[in-house]
Amino acid sequence: MIRIVEVGPRDGLQSIKQPIPISVKLDWIEKLINSGLKEVEMASFVSPKWVPQMADSLEICQRLKHKNSGFWGLVPNEKGYESFLDSGLKQAAFFTAVSDEFNQKNVNRDFLSHLKELEPLMQKAVAEGLRVRLYVSTVFDCPYSGSLPEKLVAKRLSELVKLPFHDLSLGDTIGRAVPKRVRALSRFIKSLMPLHQVSWHFHDTYGMALANCAQALELGFQRFDTSASGLGGCPYAPGASGNMATEDLVFFLEGQGERTGIDWASLCSASEGINRFLNRNTRPKTVR
Ligand code: HMG
Ligand code: MG
């Protein structure tokens, strides 16, 4: 079974300036869960000054009717971890990036300072029995410093895999990767850790996300982060557009004979409400 982490309610919404009523978000999340998605990232305990759209994260977790252990919340630092604990979620997603410039813009710290801040928190989270994920952004290109040297990526990933986590998500933050680069990085990742712990997080800025997922699948990877209706983007990665659309990946995987456990038809209608609210006419190709 392929594992999909639905990041729409977090990655999909975090860059949207227009306030979205909590009822619209809750309705969307409930519909996504009803379509069979078991892992949904629905909260982000970052600073509301930095990312106002995520300020209602705690309330979302408290008001959601579904309660299960497969929901994720993003955690940037100690203060965020305290809010995460209040939320009752059982899966904590920490995040950092290969690129110093991106880290500086995204979390106001360089790589090493952020690493020092995250390590004790991740240790605590694992010791407390939580499931822990580490996102590593800009594993190919940085929105500020361009294409990152392979040596730097390898050095930083080698340091990061020493952290305690269950799940590592590799982020093509601005969606510029192509399958050849995915193959090259996969060879290196395979030398560092077991494949079943690795997820790919492709943004679809250049329309390459599905080709990259297909490549990763062929190489034996079984985990992907996607966003319903292809919403998505990081507020500190200018120009980064939506994530790999969940609907398109599910259609592709099921057609390829893989099992996802997701009902594609109900997934396709799950985002109607949020799209209507956002007055958004873009739809993933398979939904159109
Ligand atoms: P900072 O300003 O350096 O924080 O921000 P600070 O430690 O200096 O504290 C300043 C003030 O913020 C203090 O309040 C703190 O209490 C407060 P004051 O004393 O001035 O009243 N504060 C907080 N408040 C609420 N929650 C917190 C928190 N932390 C401090 N957690 C910080 C540092 C990390 C907080 C900030 O830079 C931030 O929130 N950044 C988040 C940026 C973000 O959310 N980016 C998007 C997610 S990453 C992503 O999208 C990539 C991914 O999808 C993968 C990919 O695509 O590659 C995962
Ligand atoms: Mg992202």
Side-chain angles (χ1 to χ4, degrees), residues 17-29:
K17 299 264 182 312
Q18 172 188 1
I20 304 172
I22 196 162
S23 57
V24 173
K25 294 184 185 177
L26 283 167
D27 177 66
W28 187 35
I29 298 169

Side-chain angles (χ1 to χ4, degrees), residues 7 10-11 14 135 137 173 201 203 233-234 243:
V7 297
R10 192 276 303 169
D11 207 340
Q14 66 187 5
Y135 279 108
S137 290
T173 313
H201 180 110
H203 281 261
C234 171
N243 292 69

Side-chain angles (χ1 to χ4, degrees), residues 244-263:
M244 171 77 233
T246 315
E247 296 89 336
D248 288 357
L249 187 65
V250 169
F251 181 89
F252 169 76
L253 290 170
E254 295 281 341
Q256 290 285 100
E258 303 283 351
R259 282 182 313 121
T260 61
I262 296 160
D263 178 45

Side-chain angles (χ1 to χ4, degrees), residues 226-285:
T226 60
S227 172
S229 202
L231 280 151
C234 171
Y236 298 98
S241 75
N243 292 69
M244 171 77 233
T246 315
E247 296 89 336
D248 288 357
L249 187 65
V250 169
F251 181 89
F252 169 76
L253 290 170
E254 295 281 341
Q256 290 285 100
E258 303 283 351
R259 282 182 313 121
T260 61
I262 296 160
D263 178 45
W264 179 71
S266 60
L267 175 66
C268 284
S269 55
S271 303
E272 278 169 13
I274 189 95
N275 280 323
R276 206 177 312 117
F277 178 82
L278 294 172
N279 206 7
R280 183 174 173 268
N281 294 317
T282 328
R283 298 284 183 278
K285 288 222 169 55

